[in-house]
Amino acid sequence: MAERQTFGTKGRVLFLRKYLEEHTDDDHYITTEELITLYKDNGYKAQRQTIADDVAVLISSGFEVIINQVARNKTKTNAYHIGARLFELPELKLLVDAVSSSRFITSEKSDLLISKLSQLTNEENRQELSARIFTGDRLKTSNSNVLVTIDTVCNAIKQQKKISFHYWDYSPQKKKVLRHDGEEYIVSPYVLVWNDDRYYMPAYSDKRKTVVKYRIDRMCDVQILDEDAFVDPDFNIAEYSKKVIKMYDDNLPERTVTLRCINEHMKNVIDRFGEDIKTRVIDEATFSAKVSVVPSSTFFGWVMQYKGGILIEKPAEVKKNYEKLLTEIMAKQQSL
């Protein structure tokens, strides 16, 4: 077979790089003799010096090639494999799992993204990554335009422009319907937040004169407007995320709430509110914690899940609202 002339030496070096990326790692290598045969089978003339020169070119360009010596027919020969990759296998597994479980991405788009991620490792590892794909039974959005919406919102934030969109919900018949009879929402987007496997967009609403949260996968017809966005220099996303439980606040103001907790739930309080909160030991079994929260129904739900291990001590108004919610739930349950 005549040597390929289209790309000359450049084509040969690119062929070598692709092969090393596709087929080698710390556990799989290829020797000089095997590379010579591989070159010839693919139309490239080669000898031992050719291999050495091509590997040197790759290394000088910043591509890490590990060279070891291995025994072959009672002699030693060089063996080559790729060194550091842009993404190591454990990192790719993490990304694949994140894409697979993300509710805001459709099953079809998840499969496509995972396929692209798999191209960042060698052939053998791809099979291991493919075995981790099980998006079919996961709860997934049906909105196929989510990534387009995310891109549009990100551009609006970068340009500091307002956006308009429609927001949909479900009818009792499980059909999508636009909220408020198709009202056009106009807001100043602040940031995108990934919370509880969903993407949310906190944004300032001129109509409500406050920050409101919107689910990205329930937005449609998103457009960037020419009007400059309202930018609040005091908005702190880290503090905001800690105070708003699961991104639902029922449009209530922030309050300082004192919680009475049993000791085993210190980890849960810190997981939710961070290590900077003020705590005080009450006795050998309990402690109190002061947290800044929006006392919404989802905050009450967070407290409720600990079955009395975490209780609301004060302020009296928040405590009363929590007790009222519990009473209403019990009444409805007993009426069935």
Side-chain angles (χ1 to χ4, degrees):
M1 183 183 296
E3 182 174 13
R4 295 182 179 182
Q5 298 297 327
T6 307
F7 301 106
T9 302
K10 294 179 181 178
R12 194 180 65 222
V13 173
L14 290 173
F15 170 79
L16 174 61
R17 173 170 178 165
K18 182 176 176 60
Y19 183 87
L20 293 176
E21 287 179 324
E22 294 273 343
H23 300 282
T24 71
D25 55 27
D26 290 343
D27 299 317
H28 303 86
Y29 56 81
I30 185 168
T31 66
T32 297
E33 290 73 21
E34 290 168 338
L35 275 175
I36 291 173
T37 300
L38 181 69
Y39 270 28
K40 291 179 178 178
D41 288 345
N42 285 272
Y44 298 108
K45 293 180 180 179
Q47 52 187 345
R48 297 182 68 86
Q49 190 59 47
T50 307
I51 304 301
D53 291 344
D54 289 354
V55 170
V57 170
L58 289 179
I59 294 174
S60 66
S61 70
F63 187 74
E64 185 176 13
V65 180
I66 307 299
I67 307 173
N68 293 311
Q69 286 200 328
V70 297
R72 281 290 188 272
N73 300 322
K74 298 182 179 181
T75 61
K76 289 187 175 181
T77 185
N78 285 344
Y80 310 92
H81 71 272
I82 189 173
R85 294 177 180 270
L86 181 61
F87 291 99
E88 298 299 331
L89 184 59
E91 295 171 327
L92 288 174
K93 289 179 179 178
L94 179 66
L95 292 173
V96 165
D97 287 344
V99 170
S100 178
S101 61
S102 296
R103 295 182 177 184
F104 71 91
I105 307 176
T106 64
S107 294
E108 293 77 12
K109 180 59 71 173
S110 291
D111 291 343
L112 178 59
L113 288 173
I114 291 170
S115 176
K116 290 181 178 180
L117 287 171
S118 298
Q119 300 305 309
L120 297 175
T121 189
N122 63 26
E123 196 171 64
E124 182 165 314
N125 288 339
R126 282 178 203 157
Q127 297 175 6
E128 186 173 349
L129 288 177
S130 298
R132 303 177 73 86
I133 301 174
F134 46 103
T135 60
D137 294 333
R138 299 284 180 92
L139 290 174
K140 289 285 191 177
T141 182
S142 58
N143 185 351
S144 59
N145 293 320
V146 166
L147 296 184
V148 175
T149 298
I150 291 173
D151 185 57
T152 303
V153 172
C154 286
N155 286 331
I157 294 171
K158 180 180 179 180
Q159 299 170 28
Q160 294 189 348
K161 296 293 185 180
K162 292 183 179 180
I163 63 170
S164 65
F165 59 93
H166 293 106
Y167 204 62
W168 58 265
D169 215 331
Y170 283 106
S171 71
Q173 292 76 31
K174 295 195 294 185
K175 293 184 178 181
K176 294 179 181 177
V177 293
L178 295 180
R179 277 192 181 180
H180 305 305
D181 297 321
E183 173 189 346
E184 185 177 56
Y185 290 68
I186 298 178
V187 302
S188 300
Y190 280 176
V191 71
L192 290 179
V193 180
W194 191 351
N195 182 278
D196 197 25
D197 284 337
R198 302 286 191 189
Y199 249 137
Y200 295 87
M201 180 191 70
Y204 183 84
S205 169
D206 290 337
K207 181 178 180 180
R208 298 191 184 183
K209 305 300 180 185
T210 188
V211 176
V212 183
K213 281 72 56 191
Y214 301 95
R215 276 258 303 269
I216 285 290
D217 58 314
R218 291 189 177 172
M219 296 167 56
C220 60
D221 308 321
V222 184
Q223 300 290 330
I224 300 177
L225 305 180
D226 291 332
E227 188 176 355
D228 290 339
F230 172 79
V231 180
D232 182 357
D234 297 324
F235 180 77
N236 186 307
I237 186 58
E239 291 298 319
Y240 174 85
S241 297
K242 285 194 294 185
K243 294 167 185 174
V244 181
I245 305 293
K246 292 190 176 179
M247 303 309 297
Y248 293 98
D249 64 4
D250 296 341
N251 296 317
L252 297 171
E254 177 188 325
R255 301 292 298 274
T256 298
V257 175
T258 301
L259 302 173
R260 177 75 64 93
C261 319
I262 62 175
N263 289 341
E264 68 181 75
H265 290 312
M266 178 63 83
K267 61 181 181 298
N268 304 108
V269 174
I270 289 177
D271 283 348
R272 178 62 256 182
F273 300 104
E275 296 183 356
D276 295 334
I277 57 171
K278 294 182 179 180
T279 60
R280 181 175 65 87
V281 175
I282 297 175
D283 52 40
E284 292 183 356
T286 60
F287 68 94
S288 66
K290 285 188 176 181
V291 298
S292 296
V293 297
V294 175
S296 63
S297 57
T298 48
F299 167 66
F300 292 154
W302 179 83
V303 173
M304 199 182 306
Q305 69 180 309
Y306 297 108
K307 304 176 183 179
I310 296 178
L311 297 172
I312 298 173
E313 185 175 356
K314 55 186 178 183
E317 179 188 355
V318 176
K319 179 181 177 182
K320 183 178 179 180
N321 288 339
Y322 179 54
E323 293 169 350
K324 179 182 177 183
L325 176 63
L326 293 175
T327 301
E328 290 174 350
I329 292 173
M330 287 298 299
K332 290 180 179 180
Q333 182 65 43
Q334 291 171 357
S335 69
L336 294 179

